[in-house]
Amino acid sequence: MNWGGLQSLLSGVNKYSTVFGRVWLSMVFVFRFLVFVVAAQRVWGDESKDFVCNTAQPGCVNVCYDHIFPISHIRLWALQLIFVTCPSLMVVAHVTLREEKDSKYSAMHEGSHLYANPGKKRGGLWWTYLASLIFKAGFDGSFLYILYYVYEGYDMPRLSKCSLDPCPNTVDCFISRPTEKKIFTIFMVVSSAVCILICICEMVYLIYKRIQKLVRKKVVESHERTSLTTARRSRSKSTRSKLSVREDPTNTASIQNLCNVMTECHDGGGAVREEEIIDHMTR
């Protein structure tokens, strides 16, 4: 196994993950992948050789073994690990595509960039990341259901009975190390359930952050609109106050006419009569 290539691949996936994604990756790599490679394969390595039935009928042991173990736990877990880790590569592929687009855009537009940070989860990359989480949780849940459906539970029976042809009658069959296999089965099931829980928590976290960002954006826009409306209203009030301070030309003309009448009366040497002044003011 090329551990260097695996390490670089996991580092690329881990670079674009959230905190929950890093925990999920550690969970898959340490508690599932290493346990699968180091221990589980050795425990199930002798399942066919040490499967024994209390009959000497040719072919009966093989038929009973195929009936009790339709698919090997090891091969099922290998497929599960492959399917579960593949959606993470969707994010890496999307980021790589963004980086290529950004480099081409930068070359055509003299140093300007199409993306400020190609690895930031915005736009399509956010949806790709969310889809990868849905696929990972879905694959884990599907394989847990397949394991439960095929073996009718997660137990490993010490004794299994088989009455299929060419067995002459109902025979008793025994598997090797059933307790050890049961412990590893429960361990892999629990670790898969924990990974599903981590994926669900990460999906909730991403959706919550997205909603929080949209709400904050709407609040800022509403505050800006309120500030703009307040500024317009204050500007309108100031304009109205300036207009009210201005002199009325009609009042000014009336005052000027009154002054002219009083001046004419004074120049004529006569007493100013109240009726004439009132008459001029009412004109």
Side-chain angles (χ1 to χ4, degrees):
M1 180 176 291
N2 188 2
W3 292 98
L6 180 62
Q7 182 181 2
S8 62
L9 180 61
L10 293 178
S11 299
V13 174
N14 197 26
K15 185 168 60 175
Y16 308 114
S17 301
T18 62
V19 177
F20 291 99
R22 295 185 181 96
V23 174
W24 179 88
L25 192 61
S26 301
M27 187 77 184
V28 170
F29 183 70
V30 176
F31 292 97
R32 296 176 66 179
F33 187 78
L34 289 182
V35 170
F36 171 78
V37 173
V38 175
Q41 284 185 337
R42 296 182 181 180
V43 173
W44 265 269
D46 56 351
E47 57 179 343
S48 178
K49 182 178 65 176
D50 294 340
F51 184 80
V52 179
C53 296
N54 57 355
T55 181
Q57 178 70 26
C60 179
V61 176
N62 294 332
V63 171
C64 291
Y65 176 80
D66 182 70
H67 174 71
I68 297 173
F69 295 100
I71 182 172
S72 172
H73 286 69
I74 292 297
R75 292 173 178 84
L76 187 65
W77 289 334
L79 288 174
Q80 183 178 1
L81 289 173
I82 292 172
F83 276 91
V84 165
T85 53
C86 281
S88 298
L89 302 179
M90 295 168 54
V91 180
V92 179
H94 197 152
V95 174
T96 304
L97 180 62
R98 276 189 166 190
E99 290 175 349
E100 292 179 356
K101 287 183 178 179
D102 186 70
S103 61
K104 292 180 180 179
Y105 184 86
S106 178
M108 293 176 61
H109 295 82
E110 298 180 354
S112 59
H113 293 277
L114 185 62
Y115 301 101
N117 184 7
K120 195 166 185 179
K121 289 180 284 295
R122 287 183 177 179
L125 185 59
W126 186 88
W127 289 103
T128 302
Y129 196 90
L130 184 64
S132 69
L133 295 177
I134 295 174
F135 280 125
K136 287 190 287 189
F139 285 140
D140 263 333
S142 299
F143 276 96
L144 287 180
Y145 175 75
I146 291 172
L147 184 65
Y148 183 86
Y149 178 78
V150 170
Y151 293 103
E152 298 180 354
Y154 303 119
D155 192 12
M156 192 64 62
R158 299 176 182 270
L159 173 65
S160 299
K161 295 186 178 292
C162 178
S163 58
L164 300 175
D165 293 333
C167 298
N169 50 23
T170 301
V171 298
D172 297 330
C173 298
F174 306 90
I175 62 175
S176 64
R177 295 183 283 186
T179 303
E180 190 175 9
K181 291 179 180 180
K182 179 180 178 180
I183 292 173
F184 274 98
T185 301
I186 294 176
F187 179 84
M188 296 297 285
V189 168
V190 171
S191 61
S192 299
V194 172
C195 288
I196 293 174
L197 180 62
I198 293 173
C199 287
I200 294 174
C201 291
E202 190 172 9
M203 284 188 283
V204 173
Y205 172 76
L206 283 177
I207 295 173
Y208 169 75
K209 295 294 288 184
R210 182 71 173 231
I211 294 175
Q212 186 183 32
K213 185 177 179 181
L214 292 176
V215 170
R216 189 180 302 170
K217 184 178 179 181
K218 289 184 178 180
V219 168
V220 171
E221 290 178 354
S222 177
H223 180 70
E224 290 178 354
R225 286 196 298 267
T226 305
S227 301
L228 184 60
T229 305
T230 305
R232 288 178 179 176
R233 288 179 180 176
S234 61
R235 194 179 302 117
S236 177
K237 288 181 180 179
S238 62
T239 305
R240 290 176 182 176
S241 62
K242 290 180 180 179
L243 291 175
S244 63
V245 172
R246 294 179 182 176
E247 295 181 349
D248 190 356
T250 307
N251 295 335
T252 305
S254 300
I255 295 171
Q256 185 66 33
N257 293 332
L258 179 61
C259 293
N260 292 335
V261 171
M262 294 179 67
T263 304
E264 290 176 359
C265 293
H266 179 71
D267 292 339
V272 180
R273 289 182 299 180
E274 185 178 355
E275 291 81 0
E276 294 180 356
I277 295 174
I278 294 172
D279 182 58
H280 278 282
M281 290 179 64
T282 57
R283 287 180 182 177

